[in-house]
Amino acid sequence: MAAVLEEPVRFQLPARLRKPSAAEDSLPRLALADRISALPGIRTVENGSGTLPCGVTVYLTRQGGALRKQLPPRILCEISKDGVSIYGLCNRDRHQVLSRGWGKLEQDRVRMFLPRDDAEMEVCWRILQRAYCSILDLSARSPSMRYPTFGELPRFSRTTLQ
């Protein structure tokens, strides 16, 4: 008897509406930053010098059990006044963000526009959660280094009589 495989839930985003630029509300942006910082394994580094940082780089650190198994931190996103640069989205999710008007493509990342209200903040949060889960999944699947045993090492002769 064949087992029924569950189809993964498709990631669907609503279209982002273009609004005239009015007074920007910073509360949804702060709420988004608070949600990001509450995720497990998050470490932030402020960019820029001076009294006010120009932006924040958010790293995802995944701790292994042993010191040797700790993985290097990976960049989740970079938050600046221009938007949120998100790393780690798969091609399907990246296409959803770009086609629905939530961001634009920049090299190996997607620059998502900053949320203007609470509804947009929820959509931005869903996008960041997808990237977070994708990076966690990649680091969980990354192969750990395997050291050969003595019997698996190659044998070399130091003589020229081979």
Side-chain angles (χ1 to χ4, degrees):
M1 177 172 241
V4 177
L5 296 176
E6 293 182 19
E7 185 176 327
V9 178
R10 295 195 68 189
F11 185 56
Q12 292 288 334
L13 292 175
R16 186 171 194 249
L17 301 175
R18 293 185 179 183
K19 295 180 183 176
S21 60
E24 295 290 326
D25 188 12
S26 62
L27 290 178
R29 297 176 193 171
L30 294 174
L32 185 63
D34 286 341
R35 284 188 180 186
I36 293 170
S37 65
L39 290 171
I42 293 295
R43 190 182 73 183
T44 60
V45 176
E46 294 180 354
N47 303 332
S49 60
T51 57
L52 293 176
C54 298
V56 175
T57 303
V58 178
Y59 291 94
L60 176 61
T61 57
R62 183 173 167 89
Q63 301 293 331
L67 187 60
R68 288 185 182 184
K69 292 191 177 193
Q70 290 181 356
L71 299 171
R74 299 203 40 189
I75 297 178
L76 173 64
C77 65
E78 295 174 343
I79 304 170
S80 68
K81 62 179 179 155
D82 299 329
V84 180
S85 295
I86 303 174
Y87 296 82
L89 288 173
C90 69
N91 288 337
R92 187 177 303 150
D93 296 343
R94 190 179 302 153
H95 174 72
Q96 273 292 312
V97 172
L98 298 175
S99 66
R100 300 296 183 162
W102 288 97
K104 59 183 179 178
L105 188 62
E106 289 184 349
Q107 296 173 356
D108 60 340
R109 61 189 179 271
V110 172
R111 180 169 298 269
M112 181 177 63
F113 303 121
L114 292 172
R116 298 174 287 203
D117 57 15
D118 290 336
E120 286 189 2
M121 194 269 301
E122 291 298 327
V123 174
C124 293
W125 175 241
R126 284 180 46 210
I127 295 168
L128 280 163
Q129 281 181 318
R130 292 292 285 208
Y132 177 81
C133 292
S134 176
I135 291 174
L136 269 182
D137 193 35
L138 281 176
S139 63
R141 287 186 290 159
S142 66
S144 60
M145 180 170 265
R146 183 174 134 344
Y147 296 100
T149 62
F150 183 73
E152 295 175 336
L153 293 174
R155 297 182 183 174
F156 296 103
S157 172
R158 295 183 184 231
T159 66
T160 58
L161 303 173
Q162 289 187 357

